[in-house]
C-alpha cells in the first residue's frame, strides 16, 4: 500500500529577503514550516550567495528547519561544513556531482535529510537509481540562479511524473517546488503532488510576509486531498522533519 502523502509545507526562501537584516526577515515569518536557504557558487549557477557561516548565524536565531539548497559544483566538498553549521536538509543537484549515490548516503549518515534537485531541463529518469536514497525531491520550476523569475508551466507535468514514480516505489518522499511559486501557481503544483512550496518573492516582497505564507497555506489547503500543514515545531535532522 502507498504510504500517506506528507502534509503541504511552506518554505519561504531567504533569497528574496533583506540580506542586511536576515534575522529580522526570519522573525517576520513565524508561521513558516521550513526556511529555505539558497547557496550559489558562481559556477553551477551565475550568481553567488552565502555559505556555512550564514547558515550558522541563522541557526542562532531560529528553531525552524533550515532547508539548504546547494546550487554548487561538487557539493560533496561542503556538506560536512553545512551539517556542522546546523542545516537540517541538504539538497544537491543531480547535474552537479559525479557521485550522487555516495553523496546522498553521506548526507543521511550525517543525520540530515537528503534532497535531490532537478533543473528544468533534466528528466525525471535521473532519479531512477537514487530516489530511495532521498528524503525529498526538489523540482526546479525556474532555471536556478535568481529569484523573481517566471514559473515554467511544463514543470507541473514533471511534478506529476515524480509523484507517479514515488507511488510506484511506495516512497513517502517530499516533493518540493522552487521558483515562481505564488498563490496563482501553487494550486496546480499541489494538485500535481507537490508537498513543499518554496516561495521567495511572493513572501518577502510582500509588506506582510506572514500574511503571504498564510495565503499560500490557504490555497494549498483548498486543493482536494492534500491537507495544508499548520506551522510545525522546530526540529533538527531527519526525525520528524
Ligand atoms: O533556488 C532558487 C533560485 O535558484 C530560489 O529558491 C527561488 O528562485 C525562489 O525565489 P522566487 O520565489 O522569487 O522565484
Ligand atoms: Fe532554492
Amino acid at each position: 500500500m502507498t504510504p500517506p502523502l506528507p502534509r503541504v509545507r511552506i518554505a519561504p526562501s531567504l533569497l528574496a529577503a533583506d540580506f542586511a537584516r536576515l534575522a529580522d526577515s526570519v522573525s517576520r515569518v513565524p508561521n513558516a514550516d521550513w526556511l529555505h536557504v539558497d547557496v550559489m557558487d558562481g559556477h553551477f549557477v551565475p550568481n553567488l550567495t552565502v555559505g556555512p557561516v550564514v547558515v550558522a548565524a541563522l541557526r542562532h536565531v531560529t528553531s525552524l528547519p533550515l532547508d539548504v539548497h546547494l546550487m554548487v559544483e561538487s557539493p560533496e566538498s561542503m556538506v560536512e561544513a553545512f551539517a556542522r553549521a546546523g542545516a537540517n536538509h541538504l539538497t544537491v543537484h543531480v547535474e552537479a556531482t559525479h557521485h550522487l549515490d555516495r553523496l546522498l548516503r553521506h548526507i543521511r549518515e550525517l543525520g540530515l535529510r537528503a534532497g535531490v534537485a532537478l533543473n528544468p531541463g533534466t528528466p525525471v529518469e535521473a532519479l531512477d537509481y537514487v530516489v530511495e536514497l532521498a528524503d525529498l525531491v526538489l523540482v526546479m520550476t525556474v532555471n536556478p540562479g535568481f529569484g523573481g523569475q517566471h514559473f515554467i508551466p511544463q514543470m507541473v507535468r514533471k511534478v506529476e511524473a515524480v509523484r507517479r514514480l514515488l507511488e510506484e516505489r511506495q516512497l513517502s518522499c517530499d516533493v518540493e517546488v522552487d521558483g515562481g511559486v505564488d498563490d496563482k501557481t501553487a494550486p496546480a503544483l499541489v494538485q500535481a503532488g507537490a508537498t513543499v512550496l518554496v516561495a521567495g518573492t511572493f513572501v518577502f516582497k510582500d509588506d506582510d510576509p506572514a500574511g503571504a505564507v498564510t495565503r499560500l497555506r490557504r490555497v494549498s489547503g483548498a486543493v482536494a486531498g492534500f491537507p495544508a500543514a499548520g506551522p510545525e515545531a522546530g526540529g533538527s535532522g531527519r526525525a520528524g522533519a
Side-chain angles (χ1 to χ4, degrees):
M1 205 181 80
T2 305
L5 286 162
R7 303 172 306 157
V8 176
R9 295 186 170 95
I10 312 297
S13 166
L14 291 169
L15 188 62
D18 181 347
F19 270 67
R21 294 187 177 82
L22 274 186
D24 182 46
S25 298
V26 169
S27 73
R28 298 188 75 190
V29 288
N31 54 345
D33 296 293
W34 299 350
L35 285 174
H36 184 83
V37 183
D38 289 302
V39 176
M40 305 184 186
D41 68 348
H43 295 281
F44 182 68
V45 289
N47 198 2
L48 202 53
T49 56
V50 300
V53 169
V54 173
V55 170
L58 289 167
R59 185 71 293 158
H60 288 300
V61 297
T62 182
S63 59
L64 287 175
L66 294 174
D67 178 49
V68 176
H69 177 190
L70 295 176
M71 285 162 278
V72 304
E73 292 288 356
S74 304
E76 48 275 10
S77 66
M78 48 186 93
V79 292
E80 291 187 10
F82 279 102
R84 277 196 302 276
N88 300 90
H89 317 155
L90 282 181
T91 296
V92 297
H93 274 258
V94 302
E95 307 87 0
T97 175
H98 295 301
H99 299 291
L100 187 57
D101 179 294
R102 179 188 287 152
L103 180 54
L104 293 171
R105 290 177 195 276
H106 187 40
I107 293 170
R108 280 185 165 182
E109 281 162 14
L110 291 168
L112 277 64
R113 295 185 90 205
V116 57
L118 302 176
N119 279 340
T122 303
V124 172
E125 285 68 29
L127 298 173
D128 193 5
Y129 296 101
V130 292
V131 70
E132 282 81 5
L133 301 173
D135 301 295
L136 71 90
V137 173
L138 189 161
V139 176
M140 285 304 303
T141 43
V142 298
N143 285 291
F146 302 95
Q149 302 183 78
H150 287 298
F151 174 75
I152 301 173
Q154 289 86 342
M155 294 304 106
V156 173
R157 199 157 54 82
K158 188 187 276 190
V159 173
E160 286 169 352
V162 172
R163 174 58 59 202
R164 265 197 308 277
L165 175 70
L166 296 174
E167 285 178 3
E168 276 165 26
R169 307 269 177 107
Q170 302 192 359
L171 297 170
S172 62
C173 187
D174 272 308
V175 180
E176 184 170 26
V177 287
D178 186 8
V181 176
D182 59 23
D183 56 353
K184 306 288 184 306
T185 55
L189 290 165
V190 173
Q191 185 73 58
T195 57
V196 183
L197 304 176
V198 175
T201 303
F202 181 73
V203 170
F204 286 112
K205 299 305 183 203
D206 196 296
D207 290 338
D208 173 17
V213 169
T214 298
R215 288 206 301 287
L216 270 185
R217 206 184 288 294
R218 202 172 286 145
V219 297
S220 307
V223 177
F226 291 85
E232 62 187 53
S236 62
R238 296 175 58 205

